Amino acid sequence: MLEVLDLRKSYGETEVLRGVSLTVRKGELVCVIGPSGSGKSTMLRCCNLLETPSSGKIVANGHDVMAPHTDVNRMRQDVGMVFQQFNLYPHLTALDNVALALRKVQKKTKDEAEQQALQALEKVGLGHKAKARPGQLSGGQQQRVGIARAIALNPKIILFDEPTSALDPELVEDVLSVMRQLRESGMTMLVVTHEMAFAHAAADKVIFMDEGVVVEEGSAADVFEHPHEVRTQNFISRYTNRKVA
């Protein structure tokens, strides 16, 4: 569903991504973990061209994302995105935030867009908040609106950029619960996260990044319980407060 090959990204003389390669198969939940500044979010944003890669190749749902002829708006319908800071329009209701892309990108009528948006809100448990504006919602509810906005377009894969990092601890579980439901429904997801327990329990594959490269990848059990690389061992032990093999 998503293939990243030798992805590189530089800002001036600073190379943030130094040849990242990874794959996400249909129906997989892949979590990317690693210290701050390791290039995780930059990698994710390159996957739907919110950042322009310096070199490499990205193939999403069979389409070469970086090809000159690529229709970026069409590609982003297949590759949904959930942001760390929600990115909702504060003057619009939850329903209108979700319906906007359906009207602008998919050219739905107002009624069609609102019906599809309401279905998406109901999937994340917020149908009753359709008329509320972001300022009337908790952070967790705002993030669930962000997820509804992504799934409303019926994407093939959703990218999550640290979706819980801006939330108070008591609100995190509501968002993770929605993500678990999406996984159970077969949605393909690539998730940059610092929620180690979620990655350990829910991910089909875990990728550990550090200093712009993929250091280690494998099943959640392998990476969390039997990491091979010293950098991975140090990171895991720091977050779980235990020794790892």
Side-chain angles (χ1 to χ4, degrees):
M1 189 60 70
L2 179 69
E3 186 174 18
V4 177
L5 298 171
D6 196 26
L7 183 64
R8 297 176 182 272
K9 174 64 179 178
S10 296
Y11 298 99
E13 296 183 357
T14 303
E15 193 174 27
V16 178
L17 300 177
R18 302 187 293 122
V20 171
S21 297
L22 59 87
T23 59
V24 183
R25 293 180 173 83
K26 184 176 181 180
E28 276 190 330
L29 167 57
V30 177
C31 285
V32 184
I33 63 173
S36 298
S38 59
K40 306 184 302 296
S41 291
T42 300
M43 176 277 295
L44 202 72
R45 292 171 67 85
C46 284
C47 288
N48 68 351
L49 298 185
L50 290 173
E51 296 278 359
T52 303
S54 300
S55 64
K57 188 172 185 178
I58 302 169
V59 179
N61 194 34
H63 300 291
D64 186 345
V65 171
M66 294 167 59
H69 61 271
T70 296
D71 182 336
V72 175
N73 286 331
R74 179 66 188 86
M75 177 271 294
R76 286 177 180 159
Q77 293 181 59
D78 286 343
V79 185
M81 184 87 177
V82 176
F83 299 91
Q84 180 177 340
Q85 297 292 342
F86 321 141
N87 287 11
L88 301 178
Y89 292 103
H91 63 290
L92 298 180
T93 65
L95 184 69
D96 288 338
N97 265 285
V98 177
L100 184 62
L102 293 167
R103 295 173 61 186
K104 297 296 186 182
V105 178
Q106 294 190 345
K107 307 302 181 184
K108 304 279 188 182
T109 66
K110 185 175 185 293
D111 287 345
E112 288 174 336
E114 289 186 351
Q115 182 179 3
Q116 200 164 324
L118 184 57
Q119 290 173 350
L121 285 171
E122 288 172 345
K123 285 181 180 177
V124 301
L126 287 178
H128 64 295
K129 293 289 188 179
K131 296 300 183 183
R133 287 182 167 78
Q136 299 170 304
L137 301 173
S138 70
Q141 289 171 332
Q142 290 183 60
Q143 189 59 290
R144 285 153 64 192
V145 173
I147 295 173
R149 178 178 56 192
I151 64 175
L153 292 168
N154 293 317
K156 305 299 183 186
I157 182 171
I158 301 180
L159 312 176
F160 291 80
D161 186 9
E162 300 202 19
T164 61
S165 64
L167 301 179
D168 292 333
E170 65 269 21
L171 303 176
V172 168
E173 183 53 39
D174 286 345
V175 173
L176 295 182
S177 177
V178 170
M179 294 171 67
R180 291 189 191 97
Q181 292 169 20
L182 288 176
R183 179 186 186 275
E184 292 169 4
S185 72
M187 176 60 70
T188 306
M189 296 185 282
L190 179 60
V191 182
V192 169
T193 184
H194 63 274
E195 297 291 341
M196 298 297 111
F198 172 76
H200 193 176
D204 296 294
K205 182 165 65 178
V206 173
I207 294 171
F208 173 66
M209 285 183 62
D210 193 15
E211 297 182 352
V213 299
V214 173
V215 176
E216 187 163 354
E217 66 177 280
S219 69
D222 285 343
V223 172
F224 279 98
E225 297 168 25
H226 307 289
H228 297 293
E229 302 296 327
V230 172
R231 278 190 285 177
T232 315
Q233 294 169 8
N234 291 339
F235 179 82
I236 296 296
S237 64
R238 191 163 62 246
Y239 272 88
T240 60
N241 293 316
R242 65 179 178 84
K243 296 291 185 180
V244 293

